Amino acid sequence: MADSAPYLRRVGAVRPSHLMFTSGVGSIVDLPNFSVLVRGLDDWRYDRLGDNPQVITEPRLLAAVQAILGKTVGELKPAPWLPGTDTKPKGEAARVGVPVMPFPSWMRCTACNLLAPIDTQAFGFRNDKPSKPHEARFFHECGRGNKERLVVGARFVLACTAGHLDDFPYLEFVHRGQKCAKAPKPNLRMEDFGGNIGANVRITCQRCGEDRNIREAMGRKGRAELPGCRGRHPHLGTFAENGCERQPHLIVVGASNQWFAQPLSALAVPKPGADELDARVEQFWESLQHVPGVEILEYMRRVAPLSHELAKWPDNEEVWAAIERHRDKLEAASGEVQGRLDLLTPEWQVFSAPTLPEPTDDFTLHRHPDGVPSLLKGYFADVIQAERLREVRAMIGFTRLDAPDFEDPDLVTRAPLARFKPSWVPASEVRGEGIFLKLPEDLLTAWEGRVRASSYTDEHSGQTRSVPHEHREAYGRFRDHRYSDRIPLGFDRYRGWPDLRYYALHTLSHLLIRTIALECGYNSASLSERIYAGTEDDPRSGILIYTAVPDAEGTLGGLVSLAEPEELVRLTRRALSEARHCSSDPLCAERLPRAPEDFLHGAACHVCLFVSETTCERGNRFLDRRFIVPIGDPDLALYPEIP
């Protein structure tokens, strides 16, 4: 970049939750005038934060992260941030944030089409408005009067399934693997001619005149002519010592498959049967874990926040005993293999317990004195209002080209977040409210038996088949098609099949979410779901619908109020009534994935069941209205009647 160009560090902003799902380590973030790559954890700086603590405490989630990344991970940290960028855009706060680098490093002038790397200093950089970082831009002085013209990133990069990312080799590509005959580093031109049949971009060497269309690098034939993967992790600044054996793929900057996050999440729930003191110790474990004895504990209790939070327990010995219990619990759990199901198990145990835990600032449940409304006795076994919830999310890595498999996490290679084993991982926390609904176990068991025994005759083949069989076969085809050209064959195509109970609970959850979103005051994208379906050996029957937004909007009370008896009856009746019909019927009602189709839903579509991708925990898959209300065969319906 030009030395004379005014330069400020801040070039944009994202919300903390974006760093977990859309703009995390290793991802390309599109800014208004250029794109940047989020650097690895080794470059994140917390030394400017001073006395501001930057640690999120959630022992269950930390244990799950350690089981995957190793015991070196000792903390969950939010992105480094200081308040004050709005009032003092040139102050200390503007120097604190998530580090990024311009990527791709090849840039193109929008006026003269010059294509060159940033390090050639052919382009300048201007970011001279502290209060308007979105106007930061690269420029090229070309044309009449050397007018500054906007420069943008060249839009092609290489990626492989090992998580490597690299600039497209324009010089080698245009010269077909050879060097330019007239200059070692000639200038190139990139001309985009548009069109509606793939890319039509011509790269031309301005010294020797060689030119080539980017189309020649696309498809299977073009992929075979690409150079081998160099094993580059630009977010870490590293290359593989011996390269990478996997075939690179040409992708466009901004493609949806250039980065997939691998997050873990957990609700901050107390241990079933734990008292309020144990919950407080767990909440402030970051401050209490290094206390060597009762004497130091007595001193620490005089300082905020412990002076206030532990005021109800004046006996130091009692508090110390709670610290020892929590330490023993963490040591006992340290050797266990953690996973998504294990993260859900403690939550299910707390929600389904007959006695609710003591309320805390992070977790407060309420059960109506009259229990389930009389009109819903056969529909729900329990209804709980979650007045306070705290969800913590941690990022453990990311993948490229193929999304991480929910059912088989090791099937896709996870890219690292740091050059060495990290001592912490990025995390965020959100607070909200929710409604927990437990379905009667006998109702689900009887329904599962009816559905498994049901059958129909295929009109084309004349064979007798069942709806569960069609869904299971579609699941196998989906996994085959999803990974056939990039992942070696031999994996279990049916691994992780969620089975019928999950279909029913998941479909009911979506019906309620769509109905609730019309009345609770939150938009549907602010809601999330957690399905507690368990396994064949440990069946469960719960749904949690909760808010999951990183600001105060998630705690306004509009969702919890809908769990009051009269409101819940009305919402349930409306959800089940509207599920019987869809504007896309009969196409939607008759939909069932039959070979060779590989979609993972039956009678479901954007009109009747689909919700925002941020709301659904399984990407709008495993849904079918016929499993909830009578559509076609009434034996398939969990609820044949409307309350």
Side-chain angles (χ1 to χ4, degrees):
M1 291 179 284
D3 294 334
S4 60
Y7 180 66
L8 296 171
R9 297 175 62 88
R10 186 166 176 252
V11 294
V14 297
R15 303 185 76 169
S17 58
H18 288 182
L19 293 172
M20 296 293 105
F21 301 106
T22 57
S23 307
V25 173
S27 69
I28 298 176
V29 183
D30 283 325
L31 300 178
N33 296 321
F34 61 101
S35 59
V36 295
L37 184 79
V38 181
R39 299 185 68 92
L41 302 185
D42 308 278
D43 299 315
W44 291 36
R45 299 285 299 277
Y46 289 87
D47 53 351
R48 293 179 181 269
L49 298 181
D51 297 331
N52 293 286
Q54 291 286 336
V55 175
I56 297 176
T57 302
E58 178 43 51
R60 287 198 307 116
L61 184 60
L62 180 59
V65 173
Q66 289 174 338
I68 297 172
L69 300 183
K71 291 294 184 180
T72 58
V73 180
E75 294 177 326
L76 308 176
K77 288 187 177 184
W81 176 83
L82 281 177
T85 53
D86 295 331
T87 57
K88 295 182 179 180
K90 283 190 175 183
E92 186 68 19
R95 297 181 176 88
V96 176
V98 177
V100 298
M101 57 181 285
F103 193 87
S105 60
W106 282 78
M107 311 289 284
R108 179 182 69 87
C109 176
T110 57
C112 67
N113 292 320
L114 173 66
L115 177 67
I118 296 176
D119 57 13
T120 61
Q121 297 190 1
F123 308 121
F125 180 71
R126 193 172 301 284
N127 185 18
D128 55 353
K129 298 179 180 179
S131 60
K132 296 182 179 180
H134 59 278
E135 293 187 5
R137 69 191 186 280
F138 286 89
F139 63 89
H140 183 219
E141 295 179 349
C142 63
R144 183 176 300 177
N146 287 333
K147 188 175 181 179
E148 293 184 1
R149 306 287 185 171
L150 180 65
V151 170
V152 297
R155 59 191 180 99
F156 300 102
V157 294
L158 298 180
C160 81
T161 55
H164 297 127
L165 184 69
D166 207 347
D167 286 292
F168 186 80
Y170 294 102
L171 276 174
E172 293 79 2
F173 173 74
V174 73
H175 295 102
R176 291 170 170 77
Q178 306 298 319
K179 294 183 178 181
C180 177
K182 296 187 176 180
K185 293 183 178 180
N187 289 334
L188 304 180
R189 285 173 56 87
M190 173 182 278
E191 299 173 281
D192 192 339
F193 297 100
N196 52 13
I197 306 179
N200 186 14
V201 178
R202 185 174 64 192
I203 313 298
T204 305
C205 176
Q206 292 184 306
R207 295 298 299 271
C208 67
E210 288 283 343
D211 69 331
R212 201 173 182 185
N213 198 297
I214 204 73
R215 285 180 178 174
E216 297 182 36
M218 295 182 170
R220 292 182 180 272
K221 184 178 179 181
R223 193 181 307 148
E225 297 184 6
L226 290 174
C229 179
R230 299 192 296 172
R232 184 186 181 193
H233 283 311
H235 67 291
L236 304 178
T238 62
F239 289 85
E241 185 175 347
N242 298 316
C244 173
E245 61 182 12
R246 304 195 187 185
Q247 178 66 42
H249 293 246
L250 174 67
I251 62 174
V252 178
V253 173
S256 59
N257 65 344
Q258 63 93 8
W259 188 85
F260 297 98
Q262 271 195 306
L264 293 178
S265 71
L267 296 179
V269 298
K271 183 179 180 181
D275 58 21
E276 186 179 359
L277 175 57
D278 289 337
R280 282 287 187 270
V281 168
E282 181 173 355
Q283 180 181 359
F284 293 96
W285 185 245
E286 185 63 31
S287 301
L288 295 172
Q289 61 178 325
H290 301 300
V291 177
V294 181
E295 297 79 9
I296 303 300
L297 174 63
E298 183 179 2
Y299 168 76
M300 292 186 63
R301 294 188 57 177
R302 301 172 186 170
V303 183
L306 298 181
S307 58
H308 170 71
E309 298 295 339
L310 299 179
K312 291 177 61 176
W313 300 273
D315 188 351
N316 290 327
E317 294 292 343
E318 182 184 8
V319 177
W320 176 251
I323 294 175
E324 290 290 274
R325 286 197 301 271
H326 190 70
R327 183 176 288 114
D328 293 341
K329 183 184 73 171
L330 293 180
E331 292 177 356
S334 62
E336 297 179 2
V337 178
Q338 300 287 334
R340 183 169 181 83
L341 186 61
D342 290 325
L343 287 173
L344 293 180
T345 297
E347 300 172 13
W348 163 254
Q349 291 173 344
V350 171
F351 282 119
S352 60
T355 303
L356 299 181
E358 293 288 334
T360 67
D361 293 340
D362 290 340
F363 194 74
T364 300
L365 303 183
H366 173 73
R367 182 182 283 123
H368 196 276
D370 298 332
V372 179
S374 57
L375 290 176
L376 300 179
K377 288 291 185 182
Y379 293 79
F380 303 123
D382 197 7
V383 178
I384 294 177
Q385 296 168 297
E387 298 175 352
R388 291 177 181 269
L389 290 175
R390 172 174 168 262
E391 182 185 20
V392 181
R393 302 156 177 168
M395 183 181 175
I396 61 172
F398 63 90
T399 65
R400 301 199 193 276
L401 299 182
D402 286 310
D405 195 304
F406 186 94
E407 298 81 15
D408 197 353
D410 296 329
L411 188 61
V412 182
T413 302
R414 180 176 59 252
L417 300 176
R419 287 186 284 271
F420 308 102
K421 289 186 177 182
S423 60
W424 60 275
V425 294
S428 68
E429 61 180 346
V430 294
R431 297 179 184 273
E433 56 176 324
I435 301 174
F436 175 79
L437 302 171
K438 182 181 179 182
L439 276 64
E441 183 61 35
D442 56 349
L443 173 69
L444 280 168
T445 302
W447 170 80
E448 287 174 318
R450 294 198 311 270
V451 174
R452 295 186 193 282
S454 66
S455 64
Y456 74 95
T457 301
D458 190 278
E459 298 179 359
H460 302 286
S461 64
Q463 296 179 340
T464 300
R465 306 177 72 86
S466 68
V467 173
H469 176 80
E470 297 287 9
H471 279 295
R472 188 173 186 274
E473 289 297 311
Y475 179 77
R477 291 192 297 272
F478 169 79
R479 280 172 61 84
D480 286 343
H481 297 168
R482 186 182 183 189
Y483 300 112
S484 58
D485 66 337
R486 289 196 287 259
I487 292 181
L489 298 178
F491 60 87
D492 182 1
R493 67 198 303 259
Y494 294 116
R495 179 174 179 177
W497 162 243
D499 215 344
L500 297 175
R501 180 172 296 219
Y502 187 90
Y503 271 85
L505 294 172
H506 194 206
T507 303
L508 178 61
S509 174
H510 276 226
L511 290 173
L512 292 172
I513 286 174
R514 289 173 63 94
T515 306
I516 286 172
L518 299 175
E519 302 192 28
C520 70
Y522 303 114
N523 62 70
S524 61
S526 297
L527 301 177
S528 290
E529 64 180 359
R530 292 175 93 83
I531 309 299
Y532 303 95
T535 63
E536 186 175 350
D537 298 329
D538 181 20
R540 300 166 189 171
S541 54
I543 299 169
L544 175 65
I545 300 172
Y546 65 105
T547 56
V549 289
D551 52 35
E553 182 188 341
T555 58
L556 298 178
L559 179 57
V560 165
S561 64
L562 296 181
E564 294 295 327
E566 293 183 3
E567 294 293 328
L568 186 61
V569 170
R570 182 176 58 82
L571 291 173
T572 303
R573 182 180 291 138
R574 178 177 178 179
L576 297 181
S577 298
E578 294 182 351
R580 294 189 173 214
H581 306 283
C582 174
S583 299
S584 297
D585 287 343
L587 293 178
C588 179
E590 296 174 355
R591 183 181 295 112
L592 193 63
R594 300 182 176 93
E597 298 164 334
D598 64 355
F599 49 83
L600 298 181
H601 60 272
C605 67
H606 286 282
V607 177
C608 59
L609 270 184
F610 290 175
V611 296
S612 168
E613 291 289 335
T614 59
T615 298
C616 179
E617 70 174 17
R618 301 297 286 272
N620 282 323
R621 303 186 182 106
F622 311 115
L623 299 166
D624 198 331
R625 281 187 295 140
R626 59 170 58 88
F627 288 145
I628 298 297
V629 295
I631 298 178
D633 187 354
D635 288 339
L636 298 177
L638 179 67
Y639 297 133
E641 301 292 338
I642 296 176

